[in-house]
Amino acid sequence: MLVVMRHGASQSEIDAVVAVIEEMGYEARPMPGAQRTAVGLVGNDGRVDASRIEALSGVAQVIHVTQPYKQVSREWRPENTVVKIAPGVSVGGNDVVVIAGPCSVESEDQIITAARLVRDAGATCLRGGAFKPRSSPYSFQGLGRRGLEFLALARQETGLAVVTEAMDEEGAELVAEYGDVIQIGARNMQNYSLLRFVGKLDKPVLLKRGLAATIGELLLSAEYVLAAGNPNVILCERGVRTFDTVTRNMLDLTAIPIVQGLSHLPIIADPSHGTGVRDKVIPMARAAVAAGAHGILVEVHPNPERALSDGAQSLYPEQFAQLVRELRSIAGAIGRRVAPAPEGSTAAARV
Ligand code: PEP
Ligand code: MN
């Protein structure tokens, strides 16, 4: 439930609302806004009797949030959330953020080479997994902490913000130390203890849709992170399983406008895992931007044939450079732009 205060309501009126909510056994979250303050009521499972609150002085309106997810809903917060991930780099505003890099960090040389080439082509953020959730325990599992150290070097070298996955609490702490965004992968979308844990960290979270998760379940998972105190969540559509085998997954582009209607959180698309097929990544990346995604996450490898994971869906460097040029035109056609190079990066310095 959301208690909207009158324009100009005094602090003591707001405090009185908070006190009543707490007295009723719930938690109050005052949210000062440009026009007026709202006080969110959390902790309820079901409808709350609002009569006591409605009668308080300074209260303009009580809104019952109808969705099972509360704090991520548009009813709770009508304006878009813009998640700041590094100086000059935000997701959720007018800019389309391009996050690119290999599936896995394989060596210092590989990630630095990849970082330079995606930066030169126009990416704003570098991706690369140091902790890899692989279907087989015998497949390459990632370099762990050493991989994070290489990512930090790549950031130092290029100025790109770093997005990288954490699979457990220990990994999340390390990613928070070395990276800029903690990615929660599709397989962990419903790992509620991990979601609660990253909800307590002071780092943006990129939450990928589960392999067979509904949009409602994705939003409820995001709710766990917000409920634990971290408002900086970026959602990611990365394809869902279907009966068809011609692609690895089916990228659900409808999820982009649907999520934007239901939630104020930014949503990006991952056409690499969403298709699993290199030649299909480019058209779906274009389509995702046209559909209004706040960004794209795309796998690019300096040498895809030698990739230790997901080579078949990794773009060649020249394909990626061409894609970014096309995305600039598509973004421009809908009144947006591809985010420029981050402040202080070597690419920005050259402009
Ligand atoms: C990844 O981004 O490398 C990854 C493993 O993605 P997902 O969790 O969507 O499968
Ligand atoms: Mn991958």
Side-chain angles (χ1 to χ4, degrees):
M1 194 175 84
L2 199 64
V3 184
V4 181
M5 304 301 294
R6 284 207 185 93
H7 180 70
S10 69
Q11 190 56 49
S12 61
E13 287 172 328
I14 297 167
D15 292 346
V17 170
V18 170
V20 169
I21 290 174
E22 286 173 355
E23 224 179 279
M24 290 164 79
Y26 305 115
E27 207 183 305
R29 298 254 168 108
M31 296 178 284
Q35 295 303 318
R36 48 195 184 176
T37 293
V39 184
L41 179 153
V42 290
N44 58 307
D45 188 11
R47 200 175 164 90
V48 172
D49 176 11
S51 49
R52 261 185 84 189
I53 295 166
E54 277 162 345
L56 293 172
S57 110
V59 172
Q61 194 193 1
V62 169
I63 299 172
H64 290 277
V65 179
T66 52
Q67 306 290 359
Y69 38 85
K70 306 291 174 195
Q71 299 183 57
V72 312
S73 74
R74 276 261 178 227
E75 292 164 303
W76 189 270
R77 187 183 147 95
E79 65 273 25
N80 285 348
T81 286
V82 178
V83 178
K84 186 171 177 197
I85 61 180
V89 186
S90 297
V91 186
N94 198 48
D95 287 358
V96 176
V97 174
V98 177
I99 305 165
C103 179
S104 305
V105 179
E106 299 167 2
S107 67
E108 179 178 339
D109 181 52
Q110 175 251 15
I111 196 67
I112 303 256
T113 306
R116 285 202 186 113
L117 74 87
V118 299
R119 175 206 61 195
D120 289 348
T124 321
C125 306
L126 175 67
R127 63 144 291 143
F131 300 105
K132 294 304 303 176
R134 304 305 300 281
S135 301
S136 163
Y138 308 117
S139 301
F140 176 60
Q141 302 286 307
L143 298 179
R145 188 185 198 125
R146 208 153 53 92
L148 296 178
E149 287 166 3
F150 295 155
L151 281 166
L153 282 177
R155 178 180 45 200
Q156 208 174 24
E157 178 70 24
T158 59
L160 295 175
V162 166
V163 178
T164 189
E165 179 162 356
M167 287 168 43
D168 51 29
E169 298 184 1
E170 192 188 339
E173 271 177 344
L174 286 172
V175 168
E177 191 182 325
Y178 288 94
D180 298 290
V181 177
I182 306 169
Q183 177 174 317
I184 301 295
R187 290 155 191 81
N188 272 316
M189 188 203 86
Q190 288 178 311
N191 182 340
Y192 300 119
S193 56
L194 182 59
L195 295 175
R196 273 198 209 95
F197 187 81
V198 297
K200 294 199 191 80
L201 300 178
D202 186 21
K203 275 281 162 183
V205 172
L206 174 66
L207 179 62
K208 299 187 89 176
R209 182 177 181 179
L211 280 71
T214 64
I215 291 171
E217 286 164 343
L218 171 65
L219 294 173
L220 279 167
S221 288
E223 185 79 12
Y224 269 88
V225 183
L226 270 77
N230 187 347
N232 295 311
V233 175
I234 302 160
L235 303 169
C236 180
E237 164 57 43
R238 50 77 72 203
V240 288
R241 282 263 168 97
T242 68
F243 41 81
D244 211 328
T245 53
V246 293
T247 52
R248 185 175 175 187
N249 291 297
M250 187 179 75
L251 187 66
D252 177 11
L253 289 179
T254 341
I256 295 164
I258 289 178
V259 163
Q260 288 172 343
L262 295 172
S263 175
H264 52 84
L265 295 176
I267 177 157
I268 68 167
D270 169 358
S272 303
H273 296 88
T275 62
V277 186
R278 180 180 303 120
D279 292 342
K280 308 293 173 272
V281 172
I282 293 172
M284 297 319 281
R286 294 186 198 122
V289 172
H294 292 110
I296 60 157
L297 181 81
V298 59
E299 289 185 341
V300 183
H301 195 287
N303 188 348
E305 278 77 32
R306 306 201 58 174
L308 295 182
S309 60
D310 286 349
Q313 67 193 34
S314 299
L315 297 184
Y316 290 100
E318 54 282 5
Q319 283 182 304
F320 176 67
Q322 172 65 16
L323 173 62
V324 176
R325 284 193 286 273
E326 292 169 359
L327 296 184
R328 288 196 178 116
S329 307
I330 295 166
I334 55 168
R336 308 187 58 181
R337 64 167 188 173
V338 169
E343 276 165 25
S345 79
T346 30
R350 281 203 310 270
V351 180

